[in-house]
Amino acid sequence: MQHHVIVSFGRDREFEFKFSGGAAPDEARKWFDHEFRVLECDVATPTGKILAVDRILSVAKYAGESRFQQQSAWADQFAKFTAALLGRDLIRVDVEHYSIGY
């Protein structure tokens, strides 16, 4: 399956990733759990449960645009694991508006 992941930090500040294949969802969950802890992400949820989309958005937000610019291997992993976790071929991660679209 061909995947296309777009990570947007605002107008004209987008990172696009196109790739085939992917990772296992369990591997993606572990990676996002690890990054969520390392980046010391904080998400306020009414139920106290952190959903997969919250982890993805928080990791992108706390990592920041500069990490996507400067650490291409990390950014590639982010895209690959986002696709694996959400199981979609086209994903838009809108960090500015804290939303994910398909």
Side-chain angles (χ1 to χ4, degrees), residues 25-45:
D26 286 343
E27 184 183 3
R29 262 189 287 289
K30 288 177 186 175
W31 188 86
F32 274 105
D33 287 346
H34 175 262
E35 293 299 313
F36 192 86
R37 284 191 310 276
V38 168
L39 293 168
E40 298 179 359
C41 298
D42 185 29
V43 177
T45 63

Side-chain angles (χ1 to χ4, degrees), residues 5-8 56-57 60 78 82 91-95 99-101:
V5 177
I6 303 163
V7 181
S8 174
I56 292 166
L57 287 163
F78 177 91
T82 295
I91 301 165
R92 180 178 180 80
V93 179
D94 187 338
V95 180
S99 67
I100 292 184

Side-chain angles (χ1 to χ4, degrees), residues 73-92:
W74 183 93
D76 289 341
Q77 281 188 308
F78 177 91
K80 178 176 81 170
F81 290 135
T82 295
L85 204 55
L86 298 178
R88 302 287 184 118
D89 56 348
L90 174 61
I91 301 165
R92 180 178 180 80

Side-chain angles (χ1 to χ4, degrees), residues 4-18 64-70 75 78-79 90-97 99:
H4 185 186
V5 177
I6 303 163
V7 181
S8 174
F9 287 88
R11 179 173 248 181
D12 299 323
R13 295 168 36 218
E14 293 186 346
F15 301 89
E16 289 195 49
F17 306 89
K18 293 181 180 180
E65 183 178 356
S66 62
R67 182 168 287 189
F68 283 87
Q69 288 172 330
Q70 298 167 4
F78 177 91
L90 174 61
I91 301 165
R92 180 178 180 80
V93 179
D94 187 338
V95 180
E96 181 182 31
H97 297 106
S99 67

